Amino acid sequence: MPKDLPAAWRVSAVSAGEQVALGSNAARIENAPGKKELEVATQSLLSRLAELQEAFHADGRHSLLLVLQGRDASGKDGVIKSVYGAFNPTGVRVAAFGPPSSLELKHDFLWRVHQVVPPRGMIGVFNRSHYEDVLAVRVRKLAPETVWQPRFEQINHFEQMLHENGVIIRKCFLHISREEQRERLLARLDDPHKNWKFRLEDLDDRALWDEYTDAYRDVLAKCSTPDSPWFVIPSDEKAVRNYLVARMLVDTLEAVNPTYPAMQQAVRDAARDFK
Ligand code: ADP
């Protein structure tokens, strides 16, 4: 049995239409367990995740798509590092979405996304996603409202289609406070191992903090469905963030209850002779 924290220690999915409070308070959890305790519990969850992934891969009925969204320095890379370590690398693929190329812009916005949706048996992690097309595109005014507004429904249809074809979708918004982002961006500027990551757009986006908050609130209200739910992960503390994502993934795969297929009869017969 993995060492675990109380059952209440998980985030629930955003309900359809819910107007989620996205202030600084929501980026932290009051009375969170200590860092050490959380790290130990996360390690147990990751071990469980490794077992579940092996069975999920063998079972092959579904794929799992984890979508990670969040502001700059919210910890998308950190979450990927944390969960990726648990997985057998042959069963997991990470896709990152930066500004679309000129070819991608000639296609519909879901074209580049659909190509990298994980096939059955695989786990896919999206570092940013098609949601940028209703976030960055809206906030930076890269397209008029007549273009981005219908995308909420288009996304819901797309995700429903994937769900009906065996893709289990879970989406995490890594929510950090404005103060925490400032600390992390300052640390990035001072660290030669990190400051190469800094881009002018990061500062532009920070100036548009409230506009992004509105855009994220709309995403959560309009695109969290029972089959493809959003989770808001309080992410000011990395240990809390990593624990809550791992907890949600374990819950998701346990609900699938993946099983190893039975050995083929011909192989069973041959094995008898082999022995
Ligand atoms: P990161 O900042 O996540 O490390 P990149 O710098 O490669 O990675 O790319 C992220 C940038 O790409 C972000 O500013 C994001 O808003 C932007 N981006 C991603 N998808 C789109 C899109 N569909 N349209 C416009 N900008 C996008």
Side-chain angles (χ1 to χ4, degrees):
M1 266 304 271
K3 181 181 179 319
D4 213 341
L5 294 170
W9 252 80
R10 34 168 66 75
V11 275
S12 33
V14 174
S15 312
E18 187 179 339
Q19 293 293 313
V20 182
L22 293 177
S24 297
N25 289 346
R28 302 191 147 264
I29 290 196
E30 287 287 315
N31 307 318
K35 184 173 170 213
K36 200 78 227 138
E37 196 183 340
L38 282 167
E39 284 174 354
V40 170
T42 303
Q43 271 318 312
S44 301
L45 288 170
L46 294 178
S47 304
R48 176 76 185 122
L49 207 50
E51 292 168 4
L52 286 162
Q53 186 214 359
E54 291 288 335
F56 186 80
H57 188 64
D59 182 315
R61 280 177 299 150
H62 299 99
S63 61
L64 172 67
L65 173 59
L66 173 66
V67 171
L68 296 175
Q69 282 287 159
R71 302 172 195 264
D72 289 314
S74 59
K76 299 182 290 298
D77 288 330
V79 167
I80 292 170
K81 265 190 218 145
S82 163
V83 297
Y84 196 92
F87 294 134
N88 179 338
T90 53
V92 60
R93 282 185 205 150
V94 178
F97 295 92
S101 68
S102 55
L103 174 65
E104 287 166 349
L105 283 172
K106 288 184 186 154
H107 286 272
D108 68 89
F109 75 105
L110 294 169
W111 179 75
R112 67 174 182 163
V113 177
H114 200 172
Q115 296 175 61
V116 287
V117 168
R120 289 177 210 278
M122 297 286 292
I123 295 176
V125 184
F126 282 2
N127 183 344
R128 303 185 191 270
S129 65
H130 42 300
Y131 283 96
E132 291 292 327
D133 292 278
V134 285
L135 290 164
V137 167
R138 167 180 175 174
V139 172
R140 295 189 208 138
K141 300 188 174 17
L142 302 176
E145 182 166 356
T146 48
V147 169
W148 58 257
Q149 188 64 257
R151 286 181 175 167
F152 294 112
E153 208 182 325
Q154 291 162 6
I155 288 173
N156 286 344
H157 285 147
F158 173 64
E159 292 183 355
Q160 187 59 26
M161 181 277 292
L162 294 177
H163 168 78
E164 287 168 14
N165 283 276
V167 186
I168 298 163
I169 304 174
R170 295 292 180 269
K171 302 172 289 197
C172 290
F173 170 49
L174 307 182
H175 176 48
I176 50 168
S177 64
R178 199 169 188 163
E179 306 77 57
E180 180 65 20
Q181 190 197 44
R182 182 182 148 80
E183 293 301 315
R184 291 188 191 177
L185 291 179
L186 286 174
R188 218 176 248 189
L189 280 173
D190 286 342
D191 181 345
H193 294 163
K194 288 187 178 168
N195 60 12
W196 62 272
K197 265 187 141 183
F198 215 84
R199 298 171 308 117
L200 272 181
E201 290 87 340
D202 297 347
L203 292 181
D204 295 342
D205 279 353
R206 190 170 154 76
L208 294 166
W209 186 273
D210 293 337
E211 287 80 355
Y212 270 104
T213 302
D214 290 345
Y216 269 112
R217 203 179 288 113
D218 270 2
V219 160
L220 298 170
K222 291 175 194 279
C223 296
S224 193
T225 64
D227 291 331
S228 302
W230 271 105
F231 296 84
V232 177
I233 307 290
S235 297
D236 269 9
E237 286 183 49
K238 294 172 187 175
V240 169
R241 176 198 75 198
N242 290 348
Y243 172 84
L244 290 173
V245 174
R247 175 77 266 174
M248 185 276 290
L249 288 173
V250 167
D251 289 345
T252 301
L253 291 187
E254 283 185 340
V256 174
N257 192 20
T259 48
Y260 287 92
M263 202 194 239
Q264 290 169 15
Q265 189 57 46
V267 180
R268 202 188 301 265
D269 294 344
R272 207 173 303 119
D273 297 344
F274 179 73
K275 284 181 189 163

